[in-house]
Amino acid sequence: EWTANETALDAPSVCDRWLDVCCGAGVDSVAMAKRHSRVIAVDSDPIAICLARGNAAMNEIDVQFQTGMAESLPIDGSEYLNIDPDRRHEANRTIDPRNSRPAWSWIAQAVVKCKSVSLKLAPGLRVDETFDWCGAPKPSSRRWLSWEGMVRQQRWYWGIDRWPSDVIVASCGSRSRGWHHEIFSTQSTISQWDARLMHEDLTQGVPGFVADQDPVVRAAGVSHLLAERLGATCIGDRNGYFFGESPVFHPMLRWFRVLDVLAIDSKRIRNIARYCSAAHWELKTRGVDIDTEGLQRQLHRDPSSGRRLTILFTRMGKKRFALVAERIEGENG
């Protein structure tokens, strides 16, 4: 619901009608109809349409519903089209839009015909130069959205004026802070990448602070660009934790004060857990394959301390490290 309300802002304020194709339970349809009067929601599954009608009635929203295949819809150039393709139509879930319904060939034709199109996709989808666009132009912009620290969806846009052309948008939202957006040009290049940190032995110089990004930053592939924008550096690789001599508070970052750095060794980690006397341990890993659940069960806890600590696992080149840290609170932190 929260993400649907946010993406409903993408649609032009003036359009003849909105089509919500593959509407499912109608969450997007209801969000659209809160802002516009003429919304037509379509799904091939009559049960989905029944649920969507109930959702609209519960929200006291007027939506026109149709049961039918997307391919049977008359499409012209005056429409805003929202599509959430069925990725389960052949039993096995897919993230490739060429294997979903409606067929990619129909989506490509709709992109060419319609004034504006917003296509919802799986967050993990990546396409390369071999992708056949079937005559449709590439998206004018792409967007990833997370809510409360979980990446919910990816969007491809055509003719959406809210965002500039040739950009990647990373959007994170929460009940406490609302929504925050970072916009990056698709032509962006990293100009201040500190390759030294990919190989430096952390035990020779304990960093002052490290930050973990909201997962939407990694999903959008812009970790290094955000680090450059904030004057920070990525540890290990371009998707690693951020490093800084002082924290740069930002809605997409959680900062930690580093207390100690260890080479990854379960015995040493258990020993430092006894020494630190924390009531709670949080384990986070980036680029390191480790059984965090099994290790967490082995860590000593002192319920009387009230202290909450985090161990962040990372690597630099072939070396693997555990950073024992304490989260710090601050502006947007």
Side-chain angles (χ1 to χ4, degrees), residues 245-263:
E245 293 302 324
S246 60
V248 181
F249 293 113
H250 187 277
M252 292 183 174
L253 300 180
R254 291 177 58 191
W255 281 95
F256 300 84
R257 178 182 292 105
V258 178
L259 306 177
D260 203 350
V261 178
L262 316 170

Side-chain angles (χ1 to χ4, degrees), residues 182-194:
E182 290 288 340
I183 303 174
F184 302 90
S185 168
T186 55
Q187 304 303 316
S188 295
T189 57
I190 192 70
S191 61
Q192 296 178 356
W193 173 249
D194 189 353

Side-chain angles (χ1 to χ4, degrees), residues 25-239:
V27 179
D28 283 343
S29 306
V30 169
M32 292 176 185
K34 289 178 181 177
R35 298 176 51 79
H36 293 268
S37 58
R38 194 177 181 205
V39 174
I40 302 174
V42 182
D43 201 287
S44 61
D45 185 351
I47 297 177
I49 290 294
C50 182
L51 292 171
R53 289 184 188 277
N55 195 357
M58 182 177 64
N59 286 273
E60 300 180 344
I61 295 294
D62 184 21
V63 178
Q64 180 181 338
F65 293 100
Q66 294 182 10
T67 303
M69 303 295 291
E71 290 83 349
S72 65
L73 292 172
I75 300 292
D76 62 46
S78 64
E79 285 142 345
Y80 169 83
L81 186 61
N82 180 74
I83 315 175
D84 183 6
D86 180 5
R87 298 191 291 271
R88 303 181 182 87
H89 77 283
E90 292 182 345
N92 295 324
R93 186 176 179 86
T94 178
I95 65 172
D96 190 334
R98 293 169 294 189
N99 298 326
S100 60
R101 291 287 176 88
W104 175 251
S105 57
W106 181 88
I107 295 175
Q109 292 177 13
V111 166
V112 173
K113 291 180 180 179
C114 290
K115 181 179 295 184
S116 304
V117 175
S118 175
L119 176 63
K120 185 190 295 186
L121 298 161
L125 172 66
R126 293 288 187 275
V127 298
D128 56 27
E129 295 302 319
T130 65
F131 189 88
D132 184 0
W133 295 94
C134 294
K138 293 182 180 180
S140 59
S141 55
R142 290 175 292 158
R143 186 185 185 198
W144 280 259
L145 300 98
S146 70
W147 179 255
E148 297 290 1
M150 180 179 294
V151 183
R152 304 289 180 169
Q153 59 185 257
Q154 176 182 173
R155 289 264 179 178
W156 289 357
Y157 295 131
W158 293 265
I160 300 296
D161 296 333
R162 184 183 180 191
W163 309 108
S165 296
D166 299 321
V167 299
I168 291 174
V169 183
S171 301
C172 71
S174 70
R175 290 179 177 84
S176 60
R177 295 191 301 262
W179 285 92
H180 178 84
H181 315 288
E182 290 288 340
I183 303 174
F184 302 90
S185 168
T186 55
Q187 304 303 316
S188 295
T189 57
I190 192 70
S191 61
Q192 296 178 356
W193 173 249
D194 189 353
R196 175 181 61 87
L197 284 179
M198 294 180 64
H199 308 289
E200 187 178 45
D201 187 345
L202 273 176
T203 58
Q204 300 302 313
V206 177
F209 299 90
V210 295
D212 190 24
Q213 314 98 306
D214 186 282
V216 76
V217 180
R218 296 189 299 276
V222 295
S223 295
H224 61 296
L225 296 176
L226 181 61
E228 182 184 38
R229 181 171 292 179
L230 299 178
T233 306
C234 293
I235 290 179
D237 60 29
R238 294 188 176 190
N239 292 310

